Amino acid sequence: MTKPFTILTVPLIIGILISYYFTININMVFVLLLFTVIILIYNIIKGVLNQRLILILFLSMGILIGINGERSTLLDIIDKRMDFIGIVEQVVKREEGFNKYIVSIESVDSEPISKEMIVLNISGDKVLDIGEKVFFNGELKLPNENTNPKLFDYRLNLMTEKVFTEANIKEYNIDRIDKDNIDIKYIIKSKFTDLVANTFNAYLSEDNASLMTGIFLGQSSYLKDEDISIYRDMGIAHILAVSGLHIGIISGFIFFILSNLGIKRRVNVLITLSTIWIYGYLIGFPPSILRSNTMFTVLYLSQLIHEPYDSINSVGFAMFVLLLINPYYLFNIGFQLSFGATFSIIIFTPRLKCIFYPYDNKLTGLLSSILGVQIGLLPFQVYYFNQINPLSIIANLLIIPILSFALILGFLMIVFSFLPYINVSIRFLLENILNFEVYLLDVLLGFNIVNIKVFSPNILTIIVFYLMLIIVFGLIDIKRISKPILKFITLSLIIVIIFNFYLIADYDRIELHFIDVGQGDAILIRSKNRKYLMDTGGSLFGDYNIAEEITLPYLEKLGIYKLDGLFITHFDDDHSQGLPLFLDELDIGYLFTTVIPKDVEKQSAINSSNVKPMILKEGHKLKLDKDVYLDVLWPRDGTNLHGNNSSLVSILRTKGANILLTGDIEREVEYLIKDSIDYPIDIMKVPHHGGNTSSTDEFIYSVLPRDAIISVGRNNLYNHPSIDVIKRYDEYGINIYRTDEMGLIKVVIDEDGYEIIPFFSERR
């Protein structure tokens, strides 16, 4: 078996994916594993090596480690108030009035447990440091998971760091902090962090010091949000993370210096590898560091023992090791980008170099590497970030060499931190290099080239993309593929293409996406030719902008950058907070409201945009698309109702279903409009998030929908939806769908009827 680790890692990955997406009986996996091992041993005794059995063995291993990877003793005490003792492992965020830490719990209610990480969020100004032991009282909660397709999953991201729970406490819930008995490993890590930060702060300007500190410690928290956005938009955000590039530069520089000092090769390798592994330990071993350190270790050792180095197999070995350590690394964006970039360099760069032949030099070599990474990571780039910058290749070509040299100087500055007279000399060069890098970025930004926005592709599209790359770059000799397999691949591609063309040409469905925006409303109405949004979502409390973090990214994931119309049912923040953002970011044809907003910011946003405002009243009828109409039932001229009762109430009429959209109306309006509903209603958006001031018995009886959808936040302060309201709908046999339990709820309508598809098939 050639390249064994690369081949064996594939079934391991498939097994991990199976364990995550499906409920698997662990006993059945053990039986399969045992049965496979017995047959494999029997075959080996007989002198036969069945490779298929080996693949099944590693598939079973993947399922098993995936199941075990989600085990946590702390999950058994969720929502129970207890006393905890833990040690601060990492400072995640520090700001006025709020601090976030990763804490290793070692005792619960005085009972010792096997150490397990949690996220500890502290409201207040009490500050903790790495290594301190903290005694606190609180309740563990499950971190928020993604409840809208393709958006960032906070819970899964924490699982990639072996963190399964979090606690939110006030600073007065901390009984005491032990600052005296700190383990030596935390002291070393803390001193290294201080050394890096203090060294750069002492010699560099504030912005340059933040950049170098963030790069060396692998923590973007040292950088300003706007600076991170610039690097991300230019397609060079990978420079800010400690990656194989950084490790390669540092290890190569150390090896080069020691070689020229006459250090023996074995000693040189030992010092170089020790340095990069100690460095990785000091910054917490992010997946990219583990990957690069493992690969460089294999590389240096192979050179030492004069064995051939297989780069593809080395990458497979590194991935294999990391997944054994933590199977949920597979879902870590850094892990995916790191391995994706490495595979791309190894596979595509040599073939791209052939294109530049005979112009074979360092410039074309660097360009080939950058192009290889850009091509190989394109699906990841568009899936996660939904944009492509046409200047990213140029930016990488200019910035990477500059920052590579800056990394070497920064490394020297840290090494000679105890020799100020040397660092003064280094400072002059490093400061000017970093200033030049900023200047180049400003020049590139000055071209005002807009990023190309792209929707997030599905897995089938990604597979087709890589199959095309394999064919174009000749990675597989098609002539050597057996005819049945070649026919199968060709037929599959034809079916995929025809199916996608059919969907585009015959898209007569209407979709309503009740986006899970917590305690608020945001409904996407999508037909063959038109796209509308009813409300934007928003936050009533705190700085978290729901529209910016959820609604807009969700539209971008679908490739929606233009709306034919934006409806604002009323101007409470949980329905309209994102209005200025949407007017700025999207091309919007019409703005439909019931009143002119009193909020100055929203008024200004409307006046400064190109949107056409339209006030809707009872009796207005809008044609949204062919056979798609919106009839306005409320507000009514001559009434003097405000706030929730000024909400837009309308019926979306289609061939397959009628949907009543109610905003936040309360019982007064329900009484006034209940006799105005002339059409049978199939689905009703429950008024005011299921609050008890709405959904009166008389109103429900007059509407009598088959299904009701409640857009409501989990654990909200208002205890919505009301138990009494739920009972009223239940008494009439109306099916209830809730975003707090099911996430995004999609309604798909065609001329034969409709289907309601929750993101979570089971209630959470």
Side-chain angles (χ1 to χ4, degrees):
M1 184 184 290
T2 59
K3 307 186 188 305
F5 282 106
T6 304
I7 295 172
L8 295 178
T9 301
V10 174
L12 191 77
I13 289 172
I14 295 172
I16 294 169
L17 292 173
I18 290 172
S19 72
Y20 179 74
Y21 288 107
F22 301 96
T23 302
I24 306 293
N25 187 306
I26 193 169
N27 294 323
M28 291 180 59
V29 181
F30 270 121
V31 171
L32 176 63
L33 190 63
L34 182 62
F35 184 69
T36 305
V37 170
I38 291 172
I39 297 178
L40 192 60
I41 293 173
Y42 176 78
N43 285 347
I44 292 173
I45 293 173
K46 290 290 186 179
V48 179
L49 186 62
N50 191 322
Q51 293 187 0
R52 292 180 182 177
L53 280 176
I54 295 175
L55 296 179
I56 294 173
L57 175 67
F58 280 86
L59 176 72
S60 305
M61 284 178 57
I63 297 173
L64 195 61
I65 66 171
I67 294 173
N68 287 325
E70 202 171 349
R71 291 185 180 276
S72 164
T73 56
L74 295 179
L75 291 175
D76 297 329
I77 57 171
I78 292 291
D79 296 328
K80 296 178 182 178
R81 182 160 289 278
M82 293 186 169
D83 293 319
F84 297 89
I85 301 175
I87 297 175
V88 179
E89 298 284 346
Q90 180 184 339
V91 178
V92 179
K93 181 186 289 186
R94 280 180 179 160
E95 57 187 35
E96 187 176 353
F98 177 79
N99 296 281
K100 176 182 283 192
Y101 306 92
I102 300 294
V103 174
S104 174
I105 300 298
E106 57 182 30
S107 172
V108 179
D109 275 356
S110 301
E111 291 292 328
I113 65 166
S114 178
K115 284 189 175 182
E116 189 172 323
M117 307 289 191
I118 71 163
V119 172
L120 181 62
N121 300 306
I122 304 175
S123 296
D125 296 318
K126 187 167 288 188
V127 173
L128 305 178
D129 290 316
I130 292 176
E132 292 180 345
K133 184 174 288 188
V134 58
F135 301 74
F136 67 94
N137 179 268
E139 295 180 15
L140 292 183
K141 300 286 184 181
L142 286 175
N144 291 332
E145 60 184 327
N146 173 35
T147 56
N148 297 285
K150 297 182 179 180
L151 294 189
F152 176 72
D153 194 327
Y154 179 59
R155 183 185 299 181
L156 182 58
N157 184 63
L158 288 178
M159 287 170 64
T160 67
E161 301 176 22
K162 290 190 175 181
V163 178
F164 299 93
T165 56
E166 66 177 351
N168 302 303
I169 66 171
K170 305 287 187 182
E171 61 180 353
Y172 55 73
N173 290 125
I174 298 177
D175 296 329
R176 61 191 176 91
I177 302 170
D178 185 356
K179 300 175 179 285
D180 299 324
N181 301 301
I182 298 177
D183 194 293
I184 185 65
K185 66 179 182 180
Y186 299 109
I187 295 174
I188 293 173
K189 285 185 176 183
S190 182
K191 287 189 176 299
F192 176 74
T193 300
D194 292 341
L195 172 66
V196 172
N198 293 338
T199 299
F200 291 132
N201 286 332
Y203 294 99
L204 302 177
S205 64
E206 183 180 351
D207 288 344
N208 288 340
S210 298
L211 175 64
M212 294 303 294
T213 304
I215 289 175
F216 268 90
L217 296 180
Q219 295 182 19
S220 58
S221 58
Y222 284 94
L223 300 171
K224 298 175 183 176
D225 290 340
E226 54 267 30
D227 291 336
I228 296 173
S229 297
I230 290 172
Y231 280 91
R232 185 182 295 122
D233 291 343
M234 292 302 300
I236 53 175
H238 58 92
I239 293 173
L240 303 179
V242 182
S243 63
L245 172 67
H246 302 70
I247 295 299
I249 292 168
I250 292 172
S251 62
F253 177 70
I254 294 171
F255 195 85
F256 173 78
I257 293 297
L258 294 180
S259 296
N260 282 275
L261 290 176
I263 304 296
K264 290 184 179 179
R265 191 176 187 83
R266 289 180 180 273
V267 178
N268 191 344
V269 168
L270 179 63
I271 294 173
T272 301
L273 293 180
S274 298
T275 302
I276 62 175
W277 281 103
I278 291 171
Y279 174 51
Y281 170 78
L282 291 172
I283 64 171
F285 280 129
S288 56
I289 283 286
L290 284 172
R291 192 270 308 162
S292 54
N293 280 7
T294 302
M295 288 190 64
F296 278 112
T297 300
V298 173
L299 171 63
Y300 282 121
L301 291 180
S302 66
Q303 292 176 351
L304 203 60
I305 61 177
H306 305 291
E307 288 290 333
Y309 175 74
D310 187 326
S311 54
I312 290 287
N313 200 45
S314 177
V315 179
F317 173 71
M319 184 179 289
F320 186 85
V321 170
L322 263 67
L323 292 177
L324 289 181
I325 295 171
N326 181 4
Y328 285 97
Y329 275 148
L330 187 62
F331 304 99
N332 183 279
I333 297 176
F335 177 93
Q336 295 172 13
L337 294 178
S338 178
F339 278 97
T342 307
F343 272 116
S344 299
I345 290 172
I346 294 170
I347 295 171
F348 300 126
T349 298
R351 289 161 177 83
L352 287 168
K353 281 184 177 180
C354 295
I355 297 174
F356 294 108
Y357 182 81
Y359 304 104
D360 187 11
N361 52 53
K362 290 183 179 180
L363 180 61
T364 57
L366 178 60
L367 181 59
S368 299
S369 297
I370 292 170
L371 281 171
V373 172
Q374 295 284 322
I375 293 170
L377 291 185
L378 185 61
F380 294 93
Q381 176 75 18
V382 298
Y383 183 88
Y384 285 118
F385 308 115
N386 299 109
Q387 62 182 19
I388 302 170
N389 193 313
L391 292 176
S392 63
I393 293 175
I394 297 174
N396 277 276
L397 196 61
L398 294 174
I399 302 301
I400 285 178
I402 294 172
L403 277 186
S404 298
F405 189 37
L407 275 172
I408 294 173
L409 294 176
F411 177 72
L412 289 174
M413 188 171 276
I414 293 170
V415 170
F416 295 117
S417 58
F418 60 95
L419 298 172
Y421 57 90
I422 294 180
N423 273 352
V424 168
S425 303
I426 298 174
R427 170 203 173 280
F428 176 79
L429 187 56
L430 181 56
E431 185 78 16
N432 282 284
I433 286 173
L434 293 174
N435 288 339
F436 182 60
E437 180 259 347
V438 172
Y439 169 76
L440 287 177
L441 273 180
D442 288 339
V443 170
L444 293 174
L445 290 170
F447 284 105
N448 290 322
I449 294 180
V450 180
N451 285 353
I452 300 171
K453 295 185 176 181
V454 191
F455 68 92
S456 293
N458 56 35
I459 186 65
L460 202 57
T461 305
I462 294 172
I463 291 172
V464 170
F465 174 82
Y466 282 117
L467 282 174
M468 292 176 64
L469 283 185
I470 287 171
I471 294 170
V472 170
F473 281 93
L475 299 175
I476 295 178
D477 188 352
I478 297 178
K479 295 179 181 178
R480 297 179 63 182
I481 301 176
S482 63
K483 287 187 177 180
I485 295 176
L486 190 59
K487 286 181 180 179
F488 174 77
I489 293 173
T490 305
L491 183 62
S492 299
L493 288 174
I494 292 172
I495 291 172
V496 169
I497 293 169
I498 292 174
F499 179 71
N500 277 282
F501 273 117
Y502 172 78
L503 286 179
I504 295 170
D506 194 50
Y507 190 87
D508 276 336
R509 305 182 304 171
I510 296 98
E511 292 183 359
L512 275 76
H513 298 207
F514 290 80
I515 305 169
D516 182 11
V517 290
Q519 189 70 8
D521 277 8
I523 306 167
L524 172 66
I525 303 170
R526 192 181 190 188
S527 62
K528 182 176 182 178
N529 303 306
R530 299 285 186 265
K531 300 175 186 68
Y532 301 88
L533 185 70
M534 186 169 286
D535 291 331
T536 68
S539 310
L540 289 173
F541 307 102
D543 298 326
Y544 186 76
N545 191 321
I546 293 286
E548 185 176 3
E549 300 294 335
I550 294 178
T551 319
L552 183 60
Y554 180 70
L555 296 182
E556 291 176 342
K557 292 293 179 185
L558 298 178
I560 296 175
Y561 306 102
K562 177 181 179 181
L563 292 172
D564 295 281
L566 173 60
F567 294 86
I568 300 295
T569 57
H570 63 300
F571 283 96
D572 283 357
D573 270 356
D574 59 329
H575 291 251
S576 67
Q577 188 185 51
L579 177 61
L581 173 71
F582 277 54
L583 291 175
D584 184 53
E585 294 288 335
L586 302 178
D587 180 8
I588 299 175
Y590 288 90
L591 174 65
F592 301 101
T593 67
T594 60
V595 294
I596 299 297
K598 296 180 180 179
D599 183 278
V600 175
E601 182 187 3
K602 292 169 186 173
Q603 276 188 14
S604 175
I606 295 171
N607 294 334
S608 60
S609 70
N610 295 321
V611 71
K612 304 176 186 69
M614 182 177 290
I615 303 297
L616 297 178
K617 298 290 182 183
E618 178 191 25
H620 284 163
K621 295 181 183 296
L622 304 178
K623 183 177 181 180
L624 303 187
D625 202 353
K626 180 184 177 182
D627 298 322
V628 184
Y629 301 91
L630 191 79
D631 297 345
V632 179
L633 302 182
W634 187 264
R636 184 177 297 168
D637 276 331
T639 56
N640 192 28
L641 296 174
H642 304 284
N644 288 337
N645 280 326
S646 68
S647 293
L648 174 70
V649 181
S650 57
I651 298 176
L652 183 72
R653 292 192 292 114
T654 72
K655 281 187 175 181
N658 295 322
I659 302 172
L660 179 62
L661 302 167
T662 59
D664 274 359
I665 59 167
E666 299 180 351
R667 59 172 61 93
E668 294 86 357
V669 174
E670 289 183 349
Y671 176 78
L672 292 172
I673 67 170
K674 64 184 178 65
D675 297 325
S676 305
I677 301 170
D678 300 328
Y679 306 101
I681 299 300
D682 298 287
I683 303 170
M684 177 166 72
K685 202 286 291 186
V686 173
H688 200 197
H689 319 294
N692 205 20
T693 57
S694 308
S695 296
T696 58
D697 191 76
E698 294 84 0
F699 184 66
I700 297 173
Y701 177 74
S702 67
V703 178
L704 277 184
R706 282 197 292 168
D707 300 290
I709 296 174
I710 308 177
S711 183
V712 62
R714 279 164 289 281
N715 304 313
N716 62 83
L717 297 174
Y718 311 99
N719 294 317
H720 291 164
S722 164
I723 295 174
D724 293 334
V725 167
I726 297 296
K727 286 180 180 178
R728 288 174 209 157
Y729 284 96
D730 284 340
E731 286 171 358
Y732 287 103
I734 299 168
N735 302 313
I736 297 176
Y737 297 82
R738 297 167 48 170
T739 58
D740 64 329
E741 294 181 339
M742 300 176 172
L744 177 138
I745 297 169
K746 182 191 294 186
V747 180
V748 180
I749 308 168
D750 58 28
E751 59 184 14
D752 297 322
Y754 68 90
E755 181 183 8
I756 299 178
I757 308 168
F759 184 51
F760 297 129
S761 57
E762 298 179 0
R763 296 178 184 273
R764 296 296 173 108

